[in-house]
Amino acid sequence: HENVSGFYRVSVYFIVKVLFDIIPLRTIPVVIMSCIVYFSTGLNPGAQHFLLFMLTLLCTTLAGAALCFLASAMVREFAMAQIILALVCILMMLFGGFLISFDSIGPWLHWAQHFSFFKYALSALYINEFKDRQFCDSNRTYCVTGDHFLQDQQIHFREDWDFWQNHVALLVYACGLLTLAYIQLRYMKKTP
């Protein structure tokens, strides 16, 4: 309504909405939650692993927020947007390796994993936690390496780029969805 009345342009609204949504509502909770979860669950020790964990969660949150922006820009009814988002998120969890392993997905649907931001987030978190680590039972009679687990999950982890490509994919995903949301807002029919 403010745009139709000429108070401000869509671009100003969108930039302010994104900035004030990302900083207070996305970044601060991720930092707080990362501090609580990471140290209370005993994940891979070290400041570098903690910061990479927090970065991965932040990139995942940005991708999720961008998806929500797009859904709210496309659908006028709040209930319908929630239904669409729930369906999309369940499909992304299913094909992203969160609910079932990649082996369980048939070859004819294997391509769908590349559209799931959960795949990239999970891969980055797995690499950060399991790469070059060894896990043994209490009396050290049976040990397994984290690298073996990553191979079983079909996650590429040998090179540094194997880790960073997940973050690049999450940021491209977020930027692409934000661009689509802006285009949708820019060209939607304006009614007073």
Side-chain angles (χ1 to χ4, degrees):
H1 293 288
E2 291 86 355
N3 184 328
V4 172
S5 301
F7 292 130
Y8 49 80
R9 298 182 335 182
V10 171
S11 58
V12 173
Y13 166 78
F14 188 75
I15 290 169
V16 169
K17 177 73 174 159
V18 168
L19 287 178
F20 285 99
D21 186 78
I22 287 173
I23 294 171
L25 299 177
R26 305 288 177 231
T27 306
I28 295 170
V30 165
V31 170
I32 293 170
M33 195 268 314
S34 295
C35 292
I36 293 169
V37 169
Y38 198 85
F39 297 110
S40 66
T41 57
L43 293 176
N44 200 351
Q48 177 184 359
H49 292 289
F50 169 69
L51 293 174
L52 292 174
F53 174 80
M54 193 177 346
L55 176 67
T56 304
L57 291 186
L58 183 60
C59 291
T60 306
T61 302
L62 293 177
L67 181 64
C68 292
F69 280 1
L70 179 61
S72 64
M74 291 177 67
V75 180
R76 292 188 183 268
E77 295 293 325
F78 181 73
M80 183 59 78
Q82 283 185 318
I83 291 170
I84 290 171
L85 281 172
L87 179 63
V88 168
C89 284
I90 288 172
L91 288 173
M92 282 196 294
M93 280 191 268
L94 185 66
F95 294 120
F98 190 72
L99 296 175
I100 59 174
S101 67
F102 294 126
D103 290 342
S104 302
I105 300 172
W108 54 280
L109 277 178
H110 204 63
W111 57 269
Q113 68 178 322
H114 300 292
F115 292 102
S116 171
F117 65 82
F118 289 108
K119 173 205 184 297
Y120 304 109
L122 205 56
S123 294
L125 290 172
Y126 278 170
I127 292 169
N128 188 42
E129 181 62 26
F130 294 112
K131 183 179 178 183
D132 299 331
R133 291 189 70 194
Q134 188 171 12
F135 301 91
C136 299
D137 61 0
S138 60
N139 51 0
R140 294 206 165 291
T141 57
Y142 177 75
C143 294
V144 65
T145 64
D147 293 353
H148 182 71
F149 172 78
L150 292 171
Q151 288 171 345
D152 284 348
Q153 296 297 315
Q154 300 176 351
I155 296 173
H156 301 287
F157 64 95
R158 300 274 183 220
E159 304 293 326
D160 285 340
W161 174 244
D162 293 332
F163 175 74
W164 290 108
Q165 72 181 352
N166 295 306
H167 291 88
V168 170
L170 287 168
L171 292 174
V172 165
Y173 197 97
C175 290
L177 291 177
L178 285 174
T179 301
L180 290 174
Y182 174 74
I183 291 169
Q184 175 63 28
L185 284 175
R186 181 93 174 143
Y187 295 109
M188 69 187 290
K189 185 178 177 183
K190 295 170 179 63
T191 57

